[in-house]
Amino acid sequence: MSAFYIILTASLFAISCGLLGSFLILRKMAMVGDAISHAVLPGIVIAFLLTGTRDSFEMILGAALLGIFSTFLIEYFHNKARLQTDAAIGVTFTWLFALGVILISVFAGQVDLDQECVLYGEIAYVPIDLWITDSGAIMGPRALYIAALTLVVNVLFLRIGFKQLYLTTFDPSFAATVGISVSLWNYLLMGAVSMTTVSAFDSVGAILVVALLVAPPATAYLLTEKFSHMLIITCIIAVVISIAGYFLAVWLDGSIAGAIVTVAGILFAITYLFAPNTGLITKRLVSA
């Protein structure tokens, strides 16, 4: 049963990250998830200092607020300071992460935290981190409920705003001419990415979250030229790498998160070489 919980949690988070990552890939903002996962550190520390507890809700709330704040900073530096997106991301996450490290070092005697433990969760602990009600009933892994809720919220968000997100991604100039606020929908997308990143990294780890935002949609991008198909393929890849990664980790007796990312990387490499239309080796065979 532990294996099922781990695979299901990884799959749900992978689908959530992959769906949003598809838009990030096409907007050339793939590394914004990495920025958010580091930028939320001061929010976690401040939440602990204010509440005096390490309960997940307070931690996630503090991290989410900083994550959303970081997306606003990225957009501000990009639009107002005219920095390129990658430069805006780099400036934002480095100084916010540094601020979090300083807060931890200054309040080291009061804060039972370190920058590694708050950033790098461990998916192997999912089956033992249980949701227990006040009456003592065990409802199952807490991370599984968070993953399911995150996926539902993201699916509803994409379902309601698909047209606006689609237009602002592929043709922002046209979207602006028909009255769609490009900035608003960019903020909403970044807010969804922030919420997903923060809710996931506590359970599965920041490194895995960043990989899930990028690898499945990047692989799907090489396999199709139709966006709707890209989203479907991304979801399939998300489930495949979660299952294969878990069993690879069991076989190697190693890190589950590391194995999932490894499988995702191998799958991307295979696709890059052998994709039907864009594969490097495939194109050479056809031309020969």
Side-chain angles (χ1 to χ4, degrees):
M1 202 63 179
S2 295
F4 173 75
Y5 286 145
I6 291 172
I7 292 172
L8 183 57
T9 301
S11 298
L12 294 176
F13 276 131
I15 294 173
S16 291
C17 291
L19 290 174
L20 297 178
S22 297
F23 289 95
L24 297 180
I25 289 287
L26 295 172
R27 290 171 179 242
K28 299 180 181 180
M29 299 180 68
M31 294 310 295
V32 73
D34 184 40
I36 292 174
S37 67
H38 288 77
V40 298
L41 180 58
I44 294 174
V45 179
I46 293 172
F48 180 86
L49 291 173
L50 292 176
T51 64
T53 178
R54 294 178 59 180
D55 289 344
S56 296
F57 176 77
E58 287 79 5
M59 295 294 222
I60 290 177
L61 180 60
L65 291 175
L66 256 292
I68 294 173
F69 175 65
S70 68
T71 63
F72 278 97
L73 281 181
I74 291 170
E75 286 301 302
Y76 179 82
F77 290 142
H78 176 61
N79 295 323
K80 301 299 182 181
R82 297 185 178 179
L83 287 176
Q84 292 184 348
T85 302
D86 57 347
I89 291 173
V91 169
T92 300
F93 96 78
T94 50
W95 82 264
L96 283 176
F97 182 69
L99 177 61
V101 174
I102 291 174
L103 288 174
I104 289 178
S105 62
V106 171
F107 297 101
Q110 305 174 38
V111 183
D112 185 22
L113 296 170
D114 64 74
Q115 55 266 36
E116 291 186 0
C117 77
V118 296
L119 281 177
Y120 306 109
E122 176 52 66
I123 194 171
Y125 296 152
V126 165
I128 62 175
D129 184 13
L130 302 175
W131 176 22
I132 303 176
T133 64
D134 294 336
S135 61
I138 299 177
M139 305 300 293
R142 180 181 56 86
L144 187 57
Y145 289 93
I146 296 175
L149 180 60
T150 301
L151 180 57
V152 170
V153 171
N154 283 332
V155 169
L156 289 175
F157 169 65
L158 295 179
R159 180 68 182 87
I160 294 171
F162 184 81
K163 176 183 176 181
Q164 291 84 348
L165 289 169
Y166 184 87
L167 288 177
T168 54
T169 298
F170 287 94
D171 197 343
S173 298
F174 175 74
T177 61
V178 296
I180 297 175
S181 175
V182 178
S183 297
L184 173 63
W185 283 97
N186 195 41
Y187 283 133
L188 290 175
L189 176 62
M190 292 302 102
V193 172
S194 176
M195 182 272 295
T196 301
T197 303
V198 170
S199 63
F201 79 72
D202 180 56
S203 301
V204 303
I207 301 301
L208 181 55
V209 172
V210 174
L212 295 178
L213 279 169
V214 178
T219 305
Y221 178 78
L222 298 178
L223 291 172
T224 182
E225 296 181 353
K226 192 171 183 180
F227 186 62
S228 59
H229 292 172
M230 179 180 172
L231 294 177
I232 295 172
I233 294 172
T234 296
C235 294
I236 295 173
I237 292 173
V239 176
V240 169
I241 64 174
S242 299
I243 297 173
Y246 174 80
F247 286 106
L248 175 64
V250 171
W251 180 54
L252 296 175
D253 192 23
S255 167
I256 298 174
I260 293 175
V261 177
T262 299
V263 171
I266 292 172
L267 189 58
F268 175 82
I270 294 173
T271 304
Y272 174 73
L273 294 174
F274 300 104
N277 297 320
T278 61
L280 182 64
I281 294 178
T282 303
K283 289 190 292 187
R284 291 185 178 181
L285 291 176
V286 172
S287 61

